[in-house]
Amino acid sequence: MLTKTKPAPEGEVLENVSHPMDRFLRTDRLPHIWCSGCGLGTVLSCFTYALDELGLTESDVGIVSGIGCTGRAAGYLNLDSYHTTHGRAIAFATGLAVAKPDKKVVVISGDGDLFAIGGNHFIHAARRNVNMTVLCVNNFNYGMTGGQFGPTTPIGSRGTTAPYGNYESPFNLPYLAASSGAVYVARWTSLHARRLKEAMIEALTIPGFTFVEAVCPCPTNYGRRNKIGEGLDELKYYSDRSVIKHGADPAEGDLLPGNDVVIGRFVHRERPTFLQAYEQQIIDKQHFVKPQGMGKGPHRMSGATSTDRRESS
Amino acid sequence: MAERILAGTHFLNGDEACAEGAVAAGCELFAGYPITPQSEIAERIARRLPQVGGVFIQMEDEISSMAATLGGAWGGRKAMTATSGPGFSLMMENLGLGMMTETPCVVVNIQRGGPSTGLPTLVAQGDMMQARWGSHGDYGVVALVPSSPQEAFELTVRAFNLAETLRMPILVMADEVVGHMFERVVIDPEAIEIVERKAPNKPPGEFLLYEPGEDLVPQGMPALGDGYKVHVTGLTHDERGYPVLNAETQEKLVPRLRNKITHHIDQIVDYEETDLDDAEVIIVTYGISARSSLGALRLAREKGLKVGMLRLKTVWPFPGDVLKGLADRVGGFVVPELNLGQIVLEVERAVCGNAIVQHVPHAGGAIHDPETILSAIEEVFALAH
């Protein structure tokens, strides 16, 4: 078993040292509530580095989250942040994104929030191709409420409401996102921090409904209960089973026991966003006045796109 | 039809008039889901909003409709949703979020018969208490109740204005008959007053999202991207908007959600008096029931019975003081409602045993026959003498 975080030795505690990404955090709200070994800190960190690389500021981006451990992410980000009701982050974000076409709306929430109680909103926002990025932190259980099984729990895994093991088939999130109409779909684990950040950059840059799944350890409620171990053990467990396959068929993304964890960019395609379609099919044809902010972006964000960055590096 | 305010004299039903009221008031975003007898609002506004730079979104259900309406408001738009009973039930969750986050918007309920699917195409007033208490927890409510298409227009405009003044979702509790009834609607741009959203009173860094002014209302609302880096949460929060989960913060926040309404009660409460001067019995009524009640009043007057009518245009907050004042000088009240006893409970509470209160219940599906209300009036006269 890998060791978990040890207490810092006497005399080595660094006081008042700022993190390079502190400007994106509400430092007055730290420390956060997340457990030691949780993947959420890594995901949040990747997100702030993605914002930094894209040169995005509080004037460009708004964060919406639902309820649960991941739902608290909105409250730690020093941006306009909206912590909504359980499962409704995407629905709220739909109104926000349509009201502010020149801003980027990002939903950060958990697997239970987005795919059980909020599943209907996910598929419809993807179908409409509303301009938003959805970051799902998938830890295979309801962590905040104490480790109940959820819509992504693998068959056989234990949860507090699956004391004999889960026997329901879980969602394959990339497949669900792709078949619902998402224009960008990727999955990484929180161990793949650099690639996860790259995926976030791509997702934030591509106009329309973009989706990134981050497979994350939840040692407190999932890892330990399922004999995977502590946070680092769980990270290693996922990474040992990970196979990077860009352009893989999302149907291969099932996280079944014994399967590889297929990670990478599953989908990248173009189709008109909700507001682009509205503009093309209604506003232009009927010669109506454009809603405020429409056509000003963020269909193309300020700063380089991920493709440009690749070419230049 | 490309103007925001459709000046002139029109022949509209209450649903259409409501949609026109929204557009006139500056609504720029409507998120809704089809349901009888509300659909004519969505249909009208789906045609109208694109003409004036607004956006209509047909959502996947009423849960998301309410959530998207709140999102639209935080995006800086005047936003509205409309529904009927079953959809209203689904909206309760995010209506509570709107109350807790003090989000200005308008929610219209064209009431139909319930419970459950009930009478989709037929009238009722059975959601009046749900309007007051439907979402969990304590909060204050403002509910406007139109009795005609003309008033559906006017009160929808007023709802948008009150939403901005009080920084909260405002309810328009109409009913199927008012929604579907066609009447003359006069729209006079000169007579329309529009309240715009208040900008933050301080620059970013100094501004506190939930710092109440003297009137207990937060002082201005930034939109996404305005640079204020707001944090908006349904959790109990302090003046910064940050979650603070303890009794002290709850005590500071939640009573204010009710008290801000009480503070403005004189500005909010609106009613119409008919023949109250010499009245010995008063009909207390609202919505479509007021139309039957007016018939009953005329029949009673023909019989020489001194009957007056108090028609509530705002049911919440309930004008208890008005009723209390009247109770000292009349023999009794008659309260016809298309439900089995909801607002009558408030009348009884205000009257406090100082006069007779006679309910005229109706389970819904049709409106009261004026003769039924007349019989109740006669009973009260008999009991009072």
Side-chain angles (χ1 to χ4, degrees), chain A residues 26 28-29 58 62 75 78-83 85 88 91-92 95-96 99-100 121 124 128 278 288-289 291-292, chain B residues 50 53-55 58-61 63-64 67-68 71-72 75 77 93-94 224-225 229-235 240 242:
Chain A
R26 296 184 195 269
D28 54 346
R29 291 216 60 222
E58 68 268 13
N78 198 19
L79 300 164
D80 284 321
S81 51
Y82 308 89
H83 180 220
T85 40
R88 317 302 171 208
F92 184 99
L96 193 61
K100 280 283 180 193
H121 311 310
H124 285 281
R128 293 185 189 104
Y278 179 56
F288 289 149
V289 55
Q292 225 180 352
Chain B
V55 184
Q58 186 162 304
M59 297 299 292
E60 53 272 18
D61 54 31
I63 298 171
S64 52
R77 310 297 174 126
E93 175 195 51
N94 290 297
L224 166 62
K229 298 188 273 194
V230 298
H231 185 58
V232 177
T233 178
L235 286 167
R240 294 171 300 175
Y242 288 8

CSV table of all heavy atoms in Angstrom, one decimal, chain A residues 26 28-29 58 62 75 78-83 85 88 91-92 95-96 99-100 121 124 128 278 288-289 291-292, chain B residues 50 53-55 58-61 63-64 67-68 71-72 75 77 93-94 224-225 229-235 240 242:
chain,number,residue,atom,x,y,z
A,26,ARG,N,-10.5,31.7,-4.2
A,26,ARG,CA,-10.9,32.6,-3.1
A,26,ARG,C,-10.1,32.1,-1.9
A,26,ARG,O,-10.6,31.2,-1.1
A,26,ARG,CB,-12.4,32.4,-2.8
A,26,ARG,CG,-13.3,32.9,-4.0
A,26,ARG,CD,-14.8,32.7,-3.6
A,26,ARG,NE,-15.6,32.8,-4.8
A,26,ARG,CZ,-16.2,34.0,-5.3
A,26,ARG,NH1,-15.9,35.1,-4.6
A,26,ARG,NH2,-16.9,34.0,-6.3
A,28,ASP,N,-9.6,33.3,0.8
A,28,ASP,CA,-10.2,33.5,2.2
A,28,ASP,C,-11.2,32.4,2.5
A,28,ASP,O,-11.7,32.3,3.6
A,28,ASP,CB,-10.9,34.9,2.2
A,28,ASP,CG,-11.9,35.1,1.1
A,28,ASP,OD1,-11.9,34.3,0.1
A,28,ASP,OD2,-12.7,36.0,1.2
A,29,ARG,N,-11.4,31.5,1.5
A,29,ARG,CA,-12.3,30.3,1.8
A,29,ARG,C,-11.5,29.1,2.0
A,29,ARG,O,-12.1,28.0,2.3
A,29,ARG,CB,-13.3,30.2,0.7
A,29,ARG,CG,-14.3,31.3,0.6
A,29,ARG,CD,-15.6,30.8,0.2
A,29,ARG,NE,-16.2,29.8,1.1
A,29,ARG,CZ,-16.8,28.7,0.7
A,29,ARG,NH1,-17.0,28.4,-0.5
A,29,ARG,NH2,-17.2,27.8,1.6
A,58,GLU,N,-11.8,36.8,-14.8
A,58,GLU,CA,-13.1,36.9,-14.3
A,58,GLU,C,-14.1,37.6,-15.2
A,58,GLU,O,-15.3,37.5,-15.0
A,58,GLU,CB,-13.1,37.6,-12.9
A,58,GLU,CG,-12.8,39.0,-12.9
A,58,GLU,CD,-11.3,39.4,-12.7
A,58,GLU,OE1,-10.5,38.4,-12.9
A,58,GLU,OE2,-11.0,40.5,-12.5
A,62,GLY,N,-17.6,32.1,-16.1
A,62,GLY,CA,-18.5,31.9,-14.9
A,62,GLY,C,-18.6,30.4,-14.6
A,62,GLY,O,-18.5,29.6,-15.5
A,75,GLY,N,-17.4,27.4,-5.2
A,75,GLY,CA,-17.2,28.4,-4.1
A,75,GLY,C,-15.7,28.7,-3.8
A,75,GLY,O,-15.4,29.6,-3.1
A,78,ASN,N,-12.2,32.0,-7.7
A,78,ASN,CA,-12.4,33.5,-7.6
A,78,ASN,C,-12.9,34.1,-8.9
A,78,ASN,O,-12.2,34.8,-9.6
A,78,ASN,CB,-11.1,34.1,-7.2
A,78,ASN,CG,-11.2,35.5,-6.7
A,78,ASN,OD1,-12.3,35.9,-6.2
A,78,ASN,ND2,-10.2,36.3,-6.7
A,79,LEU,N,-14.1,33.6,-9.3
A,79,LEU,CA,-14.7,34.0,-10.5
A,79,LEU,C,-16.2,34.2,-10.2
A,79,LEU,O,-16.6,33.8,-9.1
A,79,LEU,CB,-14.6,32.9,-11.6
A,79,LEU,CG,-13.2,32.4,-12.0
A,79,LEU,CD1,-13.3,31.1,-12.7
A,79,LEU,CD2,-12.6,33.5,-12.9
A,80,ASP,N,-17.0,34.7,-11.1
A,80,ASP,CA,-18.5,34.6,-10.8
A,80,ASP,C,-18.8,33.2,-10.7
A,80,ASP,O,-18.6,32.4,-11.6
A,80,ASP,CB,-19.2,35.3,-12.0
A,80,ASP,CG,-19.1,36.8,-11.9
A,80,ASP,OD1,-19.2,37.4,-10.8
A,80,ASP,OD2,-19.0,37.4,-13.0
A,81,SER,N,-19.4,32.8,-9.5
A,81,SER,CA,-19.6,31.4,-9.3
A,81,SER,C,-21.0,31.2,-8.7
A,81,SER,O,-21.5,32.0,-7.9
A,81,SER,CB,-18.5,30.8,-8.3
A,81,SER,OG,-18.4,31.7,-7.2
A,82,TYR,N,-21.6,30.1,-9.2
A,82,TYR,CA,-23.1,29.9,-8.9
A,82,TYR,C,-23.2,28.5,-8.4
A,82,TYR,O,-23.0,27.5,-9.2
A,82,TYR,CB,-23.9,30.2,-10.1
A,82,TYR,CG,-23.7,31.5,-10.7
A,82,TYR,CD1,-22.7,31.7,-11.7
A,82,TYR,CD2,-24.4,32.7,-10.3
A,82,TYR,CE1,-22.4,33.0,-12.2
A,82,TYR,CE2,-24.1,33.9,-10.8
A,82,TYR,CZ,-23.1,34.1,-11.8
A,82,TYR,OH,-22.8,35.3,-12.3
A,83,HIS,N,-23.5,28.3,-7.1
A,83,HIS,CA,-23.7,27.0,-6.5
A,83,HIS,C,-25.2,26.8,-6.4
A,83,HIS,O,-25.9,27.3,-5.6
A,83,HIS,CB,-23.0,27.1,-5.1
A,83,HIS,CG,-23.1,25.8,-4.3
A,83,HIS,ND1,-23.3,25.8,-3.0
A,83,HIS,CD2,-22.9,24.5,-4.7
A,83,HIS,CE1,-23.3,24.6,-2.5
A,83,HIS,NE2,-23.0,23.8,-3.5
A,85,THR,N,-28.8,24.1,-7.2
A,85,THR,CA,-29.5,23.0,-6.5
A,85,THR,C,-29.0,21.6,-7.1
A,85,THR,O,-28.3,21.6,-8.2
A,85,THR,CB,-31.0,23.0,-6.7
A,85,THR,OG1,-31.3,23.5,-8.1
A,85,THR,CG2,-31.6,24.0,-5.7
A,88,ARG,N,-29.1,20.5,-11.0
A,88,ARG,CA,-29.7,21.6,-11.9
A,88,ARG,C,-28.6,22.5,-12.4
A,88,ARG,O,-29.0,23.5,-13.0
A,88,ARG,CB,-30.8,22.4,-11.1
A,88,ARG,CG,-31.7,21.6,-10.3
A,88,ARG,CD,-32.5,20.5,-11.2
A,88,ARG,NE,-33.2,19.6,-10.3
A,88,ARG,CZ,-33.5,18.4,-10.5
A,88,ARG,NH1,-33.1,17.8,-11.7
A,88,ARG,NH2,-34.2,17.7,-9.7
A,91,ALA,N,-28.9,23.1,-16.1
A,91,ALA,CA,-30.2,23.9,-16.4
A,91,ALA,C,-30.0,25.4,-16.1
A,91,ALA,O,-30.3,26.3,-16.9
A,91,ALA,CB,-31.4,23.3,-15.7
A,92,PHE,N,-29.4,25.7,-15.0
A,92,PHE,CA,-29.1,27.0,-14.6
A,92,PHE,C,-28.1,27.6,-15.6
A,92,PHE,O,-28.2,28.8,-16.1
A,92,PHE,CB,-28.5,27.0,-13.2
A,92,PHE,CG,-28.2,28.4,-12.6
A,92,PHE,CD1,-29.1,29.0,-11.7
A,92,PHE,CD2,-27.0,29.1,-12.9
A,92,PHE,CE1,-28.8,30.3,-11.1
A,92,PHE,CE2,-26.8,30.3,-12.4
A,92,PHE,CZ,-27.6,30.9,-11.5
A,95,GLY,N,-29.5,28.9,-18.9
A,95,GLY,CA,-30.0,30.3,-18.9
A,95,GLY,C,-28.9,31.3,-18.9
A,95,GLY,O,-28.9,32.3,-19.6
A,96,LEU,N,-27.9,31.0,-18.1
A,96,LEU,CA,-26.7,31.9,-17.9
A,96,LEU,C,-26.0,32.1,-19.3
A,96,LEU,O,-25.7,33.2,-19.7
A,96,LEU,CB,-25.8,31.4,-16.9
A,96,LEU,CG,-24.7,32.3,-16.3
A,96,LEU,CD1,-25.3,33.5,-15.6
A,96,LEU,CD2,-23.8,31.5,-15.3
A,99,ALA,N,-28.0,34.0,-21.8
A,99,ALA,CA,-28.1,35.4,-21.4
A,99,ALA,C,-26.8,36.1,-21.7
A,99,ALA,O,-26.8,37.3,-21.9
A,99,ALA,CB,-28.5,35.5,-19.9
A,100,LYS,N,-25.7,35.4,-21.6
A,100,LYS,CA,-24.4,36.0,-21.8
A,100,LYS,C,-23.6,35.3,-22.9
A,100,LYS,O,-22.7,34.5,-22.6
A,100,LYS,CB,-23.6,36.0,-20.5
A,100,LYS,CG,-24.0,37.1,-19.5
A,100,LYS,CD,-23.4,38.4,-19.9
A,100,LYS,CE,-23.8,39.5,-18.9
A,100,LYS,NZ,-23.4,40.8,-19.4
A,121,HIS,N,-31.0,16.9,-17.8
A,121,HIS,CA,-30.5,18.2,-18.2
A,121,HIS,C,-29.2,18.1,-19.0
A,121,HIS,O,-29.0,18.8,-20.0
A,121,HIS,CB,-30.3,19.1,-17.0
A,121,HIS,CG,-31.4,19.2,-16.1
A,121,HIS,ND1,-32.7,19.4,-16.5
A,121,HIS,CD2,-31.5,18.9,-14.7
A,121,HIS,CE1,-33.5,19.3,-15.5
A,121,HIS,NE2,-32.8,19.1,-14.4
A,124,HIS,N,-30.1,17.0,-22.7
A,124,HIS,CA,-30.7,18.0,-23.5
A,124,HIS,C,-29.8,19.2,-23.8
A,124,HIS,O,-29.9,19.8,-24.8
A,124,HIS,CB,-32.0,18.4,-22.8
A,124,HIS,CG,-33.1,17.4,-23.0
A,124,HIS,ND1,-33.8,17.3,-24.1
A,124,HIS,CD2,-33.5,16.4,-22.2
A,124,HIS,CE1,-34.7,16.3,-24.0
A,124,HIS,NE2,-34.5,15.7,-22.8
A,128,ARG,N,-28.9,20.3,-27.5
A,128,ARG,CA,-29.0,21.7,-28.0
A,128,ARG,C,-27.7,22.3,-28.4
A,128,ARG,O,-27.7,23.3,-29.0
A,128,ARG,CB,-29.6,22.6,-26.9
A,128,ARG,CG,-31.1,22.3,-26.5
A,128,ARG,CD,-31.6,23.3,-25.5
A,128,ARG,NE,-32.9,22.8,-25.0
A,128,ARG,CZ,-33.1,22.3,-23.8
A,128,ARG,NH1,-32.1,22.2,-23.0
A,128,ARG,NH2,-34.3,21.8,-23.5
A,278,TYR,N,-29.7,29.5,-33.7
A,278,TYR,CA,-30.7,30.5,-33.5
A,278,TYR,C,-30.5,31.7,-34.4
A,278,TYR,O,-31.4,32.3,-35.1
A,278,TYR,CB,-30.8,30.9,-32.0
A,278,TYR,CG,-31.8,32.0,-31.7
A,278,TYR,CD1,-33.2,31.8,-32.0
A,278,TYR,CD2,-31.5,33.2,-31.0
A,278,TYR,CE1,-34.1,32.7,-31.6
A,278,TYR,CE2,-32.4,34.1,-30.7
A,278,TYR,CZ,-33.7,33.9,-31.0
A,278,TYR,OH,-34.6,34.8,-30.6
A,288,PHE,N,-34.3,39.9,-37.7
A,288,PHE,CA,-34.6,40.3,-36.3
A,288,PHE,C,-33.3,40.9,-35.7
A,288,PHE,O,-32.2,40.6,-36.2
A,288,PHE,CB,-35.0,39.2,-35.4
A,288,PHE,CG,-36.4,38.7,-35.7
A,288,PHE,CD1,-36.7,37.4,-35.5
A,288,PHE,CD2,-37.4,39.6,-36.2
A,288,PHE,CE1,-38.0,36.9,-35.7
A,288,PHE,CE2,-38.7,39.1,-36.4
A,288,PHE,CZ,-39.0,37.7,-36.2
A,289,VAL,N,-33.5,41.7,-34.7
A,289,VAL,CA,-32.3,42.3,-34.0
A,289,VAL,C,-31.6,41.2,-33.1
A,289,VAL,O,-32.3,40.3,-32.6
A,289,VAL,CB,-32.8,43.5,-33.1
A,289,VAL,CG1,-33.9,43.1,-32.2
A,289,VAL,CG2,-31.6,44.1,-32.4
A,291,PRO,N,-29.8,39.4,-30.1
A,291,PRO,CA,-29.7,39.5,-28.7
A,291,PRO,C,-28.3,40.1,-28.3
A,291,PRO,O,-27.3,39.9,-29.0
A,291,PRO,CB,-29.8,38.1,-28.1
A,291,PRO,CG,-30.5,37.4,-29.2
A,291,PRO,CD,-30.1,38.0,-30.5
A,292,GLN,N,-28.3,40.9,-27.2
A,292,GLN,CA,-27.1,41.5,-26.7
A,292,GLN,C,-26.0,40.5,-26.6
A,292,GLN,O,-26.2,39.5,-26.0
A,292,GLN,CB,-27.4,42.1,-25.4
A,292,GLN,CG,-26.9,43.5,-25.2
A,292,GLN,CD,-27.2,44.0,-23.8
A,292,GLN,OE1,-28.0,43.4,-23.1
A,292,GLN,NE2,-26.7,45.1,-23.5
B,50,PRO,N,-38.0,36.9,-30.1
B,50,PRO,CA,-37.0,37.0,-31.1
B,50,PRO,C,-37.2,38.4,-31.9
B,50,PRO,O,-36.2,38.9,-32.4
B,50,PRO,CB,-37.3,35.9,-32.1
B,50,PRO,CG,-38.0,34.8,-31.2
B,50,PRO,CD,-38.8,35.6,-30.3
B,53,GLY,N,-35.1,41.1,-29.7
B,53,GLY,CA,-33.7,40.8,-29.2
B,53,GLY,C,-33.7,39.9,-28.0
B,53,GLY,O,-32.7,39.9,-27.3
B,54,GLY,N,-34.8,39.2,-27.7
B,54,GLY,CA,-34.8,38.3,-26.6
B,54,GLY,C,-34.6,36.8,-27.1
B,54,GLY,O,-34.5,36.6,-28.3
B,55,VAL,N,-34.6,35.9,-26.1
B,55,VAL,CA,-34.5,34.5,-26.5
B,55,VAL,C,-35.5,33.7,-25.7
B,55,VAL,O,-35.7,33.8,-24.5
B,55,VAL,CB,-33.1,33.9,-26.1
B,55,VAL,CG1,-32.9,32.5,-26.6
B,55,VAL,CG2,-32.0,34.8,-26.7
B,58,GLN,N,-37.2,26.5,-25.1
B,58,GLN,CA,-38.1,25.5,-24.6
B,58,GLN,C,-37.3,24.4,-23.9
B,58,GLN,O,-36.5,23.7,-24.5
B,58,GLN,CB,-38.9,24.9,-25.7
B,58,GLN,CG,-40.0,23.9,-25.2
B,58,GLN,CD,-41.1,23.6,-26.2
B,58,GLN,OE1,-41.7,24.5,-26.6
B,58,GLN,NE2,-41.3,22.4,-26.5
B,59,MET,N,-37.4,24.3,-22.6
B,59,MET,CA,-36.6,23.4,-21.8
B,59,MET,C,-37.2,22.0,-21.7
B,59,MET,O,-38.2,21.8,-22.3
B,59,MET,CB,-36.4,24.0,-20.3
B,59,MET,CG,-35.7,25.3,-20.3
B,59,MET,SD,-34.0,25.3,-20.9
B,59,MET,CE,-33.2,24.3,-19.6
B,60,GLU,N,-36.5,21.1,-21.1
B,60,GLU,CA,-36.9,19.7,-21.1
B,60,GLU,C,-37.9,19.4,-20.0
B,60,GLU,O,-38.5,18.3,-20.0
B,60,GLU,CB,-35.6,18.8,-20.9
B,60,GLU,CG,-34.7,19.1,-19.7
B,60,GLU,CD,-33.7,20.2,-20.0
B,60,GLU,OE1,-33.8,20.9,-21.0
B,60,GLU,OE2,-32.7,20.3,-19.2
B,61,ASP,N,-38.1,20.3,-19.1
B,61,ASP,CA,-39.1,20.1,-18.0
B,61,ASP,C,-39.2,21.5,-17.3
B,61,ASP,O,-38.5,22.4,-17.6
B,61,ASP,CB,-38.8,19.0,-17.1
B,61,ASP,CG,-37.4,19.1,-16.5
B,61,ASP,OD1,-37.0,20.3,-16.2
B,61,ASP,OD2,-36.8,18.1,-16.2
B,63,ILE,N,-38.5,21.8,-14.1
B,63,ILE,CA,-37.4,22.0,-13.1
B,63,ILE,C,-36.3,22.8,-13.8
B,63,ILE,O,-35.9,23.8,-13.3
B,63,ILE,CB,-36.8,20.6,-12.8
B,63,ILE,CG1,-37.9,19.7,-12.1
B,63,ILE,CG2,-35.6,20.7,-11.9
B,63,ILE,CD1,-37.4,18.3,-11.9
B,64,SER,N,-36.0,22.4,-15.0
B,64,SER,CA,-34.9,23.2,-15.7
B,64,SER,C,-35.4,24.5,-16.2
B,64,SER,O,-34.7,25.5,-16.3
B,64,SER,CB,-34.5,22.3,-16.9
B,64,SER,OG,-35.6,21.9,-17.7
B,67,ALA,N,-34.8,26.7,-13.3
B,67,ALA,CA,-33.4,26.9,-13.1
B,67,ALA,C,-32.8,27.8,-14.2
B,67,ALA,O,-32.0,28.7,-13.9
B,67,ALA,CB,-32.7,25.6,-13.1
B,68,ALA,N,-33.2,27.6,-15.4
B,68,ALA,CA,-32.7,28.5,-16.5
B,68,ALA,C,-33.1,29.9,-16.4
B,68,ALA,O,-32.4,30.8,-16.8
B,68,ALA,CB,-33.1,27.9,-17.9
B,71,GLY,N,-30.8,31.4,-14.0
B,71,GLY,CA,-29.5,31.6,-14.7
B,71,GLY,C,-29.5,32.8,-15.6
B,71,GLY,O,-28.6,33.6,-15.7
B,72,GLY,N,-30.7,32.9,-16.3
B,72,GLY,CA,-30.8,34.1,-17.2
B,72,GLY,C,-30.8,35.4,-16.4
B,72,GLY,O,-30.2,36.4,-16.9
B,75,GLY,N,-27.4,36.3,-15.6
B,75,GLY,CA,-26.8,36.7,-16.8
B,75,GLY,C,-27.2,38.2,-17.2
B,75,GLY,O,-26.9,38.6,-18.3
B,77,ARG,N,-30.4,39.4,-17.4
B,77,ARG,CA,-31.6,39.6,-18.2
B,77,ARG,C,-32.8,39.6,-17.3
B,77,ARG,O,-32.8,39.0,-16.2
B,77,ARG,CB,-31.8,38.5,-19.2
B,77,ARG,CG,-30.6,38.2,-20.1
B,77,ARG,CD,-30.3,39.4,-20.9
B,77,ARG,NE,-29.0,39.2,-21.7
B,77,ARG,CZ,-28.9,39.4,-23.0
B,77,ARG,NH1,-30.0,39.7,-23.7
B,77,ARG,NH2,-27.8,39.2,-23.6
B,93,GLU,N,-38.6,23.5,-6.2
B,93,GLU,CA,-37.1,23.3,-5.8
B,93,GLU,C,-36.3,24.6,-6.1
B,93,GLU,O,-35.7,25.2,-5.3
B,93,GLU,CB,-36.6,22.1,-6.5
B,93,GLU,CG,-35.1,21.9,-6.3
B,93,GLU,CD,-34.5,20.9,-7.3
B,93,GLU,OE1,-34.7,21.1,-8.5
B,93,GLU,OE2,-33.8,20.0,-6.9
B,94,ASN,N,-36.4,24.9,-7.4
B,94,ASN,CA,-35.6,26.1,-7.8
B,94,ASN,C,-36.2,27.4,-7.5
B,94,ASN,O,-35.5,28.4,-7.5
B,94,ASN,CB,-35.2,25.9,-9.3
B,94,ASN,CG,-34.2,24.8,-9.4
B,94,ASN,OD1,-33.1,24.9,-8.9
B,94,ASN,ND2,-34.6,23.7,-10.1
B,224,LEU,N,-23.0,38.2,-14.8
B,224,LEU,CA,-21.8,37.4,-15.1
B,224,LEU,C,-20.9,38.2,-15.9
B,224,LEU,O,-21.2,38.8,-16.9
B,224,LEU,CB,-22.2,36.2,-15.9
B,224,LEU,CG,-21.1,35.4,-16.5
B,224,LEU,CD1,-20.1,34.8,-15.5
B,224,LEU,CD2,-21.7,34.2,-17.4
B,225,GLY,N,-19.6,38.3,-15.5
B,225,GLY,CA,-18.6,39.0,-16.2
B,225,GLY,C,-18.4,40.4,-16.0
B,225,GLY,O,-17.6,41.1,-16.6
B,229,LYS,N,-17.0,39.1,-9.4
B,229,LYS,CA,-16.7,37.8,-8.9
B,229,LYS,C,-17.6,37.3,-7.8
B,229,LYS,O,-17.2,37.1,-6.6
B,229,LYS,CB,-15.2,37.7,-8.4
B,229,LYS,CG,-14.2,38.0,-9.6
B,229,LYS,CD,-12.8,37.8,-9.2
B,229,LYS,CE,-12.2,39.0,-8.6
B,229,LYS,NZ,-10.7,38.9,-8.5
B,230,VAL,N,-18.9,37.4,-8.1
B,230,VAL,CA,-19.9,37.1,-7.1
B,230,VAL,C,-19.9,35.6,-6.7
B,230,VAL,O,-19.5,34.7,-7.6
B,230,VAL,CB,-21.3,37.4,-7.6
B,230,VAL,CG1,-21.4,38.9,-7.9
B,230,VAL,CG2,-21.7,36.6,-8.8
B,231,HIS,N,-20.3,35.2,-5.5
B,231,HIS,CA,-20.6,33.8,-5.2
B,231,HIS,C,-22.0,33.8,-4.8
B,231,HIS,O,-22.4,34.4,-3.8
B,231,HIS,CB,-19.7,33.3,-4.1
B,231,HIS,CG,-19.9,31.8,-3.9
B,231,HIS,ND1,-19.8,30.9,-5.0
B,231,HIS,CD2,-20.3,31.1,-2.9
B,231,HIS,CE1,-20.1,29.7,-4.5
B,231,HIS,NE2,-20.4,29.8,-3.3
B,232,VAL,N,-22.8,33.0,-5.5
B,232,VAL,CA,-24.2,32.9,-5.3
B,232,VAL,C,-24.5,31.4,-4.9
B,232,VAL,O,-24.1,30.5,-5.6
B,232,VAL,CB,-25.0,33.2,-6.7
B,232,VAL,CG1,-26.5,33.0,-6.5
B,232,VAL,CG2,-24.6,34.6,-7.1
B,233,THR,N,-25.1,31.2,-3.8
B,233,THR,CA,-25.3,29.8,-3.3
B,233,THR,C,-26.7,29.7,-2.6
B,233,THR,O,-27.2,30.6,-2.0
B,233,THR,CB,-24.2,29.4,-2.4
B,233,THR,OG1,-24.5,28.1,-1.9
B,233,THR,CG2,-24.0,30.3,-1.1
B,234,GLY,N,-27.2,28.5,-2.8
B,234,GLY,CA,-28.5,28.2,-2.1
B,234,GLY,C,-28.2,27.8,-0.6
B,234,GLY,O,-29.1,27.6,0.2
B,235,LEU,N,-26.9,27.7,-0.2
B,235,LEU,CA,-26.6,27.4,1.2
B,235,LEU,C,-26.8,28.7,1.9
B,235,LEU,O,-26.7,29.8,1.4
B,235,LEU,CB,-25.1,27.0,1.3
B,235,LEU,CG,-24.7,25.6,0.8
B,235,LEU,CD1,-23.2,25.6,0.8
B,235,LEU,CD2,-25.2,24.6,1.8
B,240,ARG,N,-21.2,38.5,2.0
B,240,ARG,CA,-20.4,38.3,0.9
B,240,ARG,C,-21.0,37.2,-0.1
B,240,ARG,O,-20.5,37.1,-1.2
B,240,ARG,CB,-19.0,37.8,1.3
B,240,ARG,CG,-18.2,38.7,2.1
B,240,ARG,CD,-16.9,38.0,2.7
B,240,ARG,NE,-17.3,36.9,3.5
B,240,ARG,CZ,-16.4,36.1,4.1
B,240,ARG,NH1,-15.1,36.2,3.8
B,240,ARG,NH2,-16.8,35.1,4.9
B,242,TYR,N,-20.8,34.1,0.9
B,242,TYR,CA,-20.1,32.8,1.2
B,242,TYR,C,-21.0,32.0,2.2
B,242,TYR,O,-21.6,32.5,3.1
B,242,TYR,CB,-18.8,33.2,1.9
B,242,TYR,CG,-17.7,33.7,1.0
B,242,TYR,CD1,-18.0,34.1,-0.3
B,242,TYR,CD2,-16.4,33.9,1.5
B,242,TYR,CE1,-17.0,34.6,-1.1
B,242,TYR,CE2,-15.4,34.5,0.7
B,242,TYR,CZ,-15.7,34.8,-0.6
B,242,TYR,OH,-14.7,35.4,-1.4
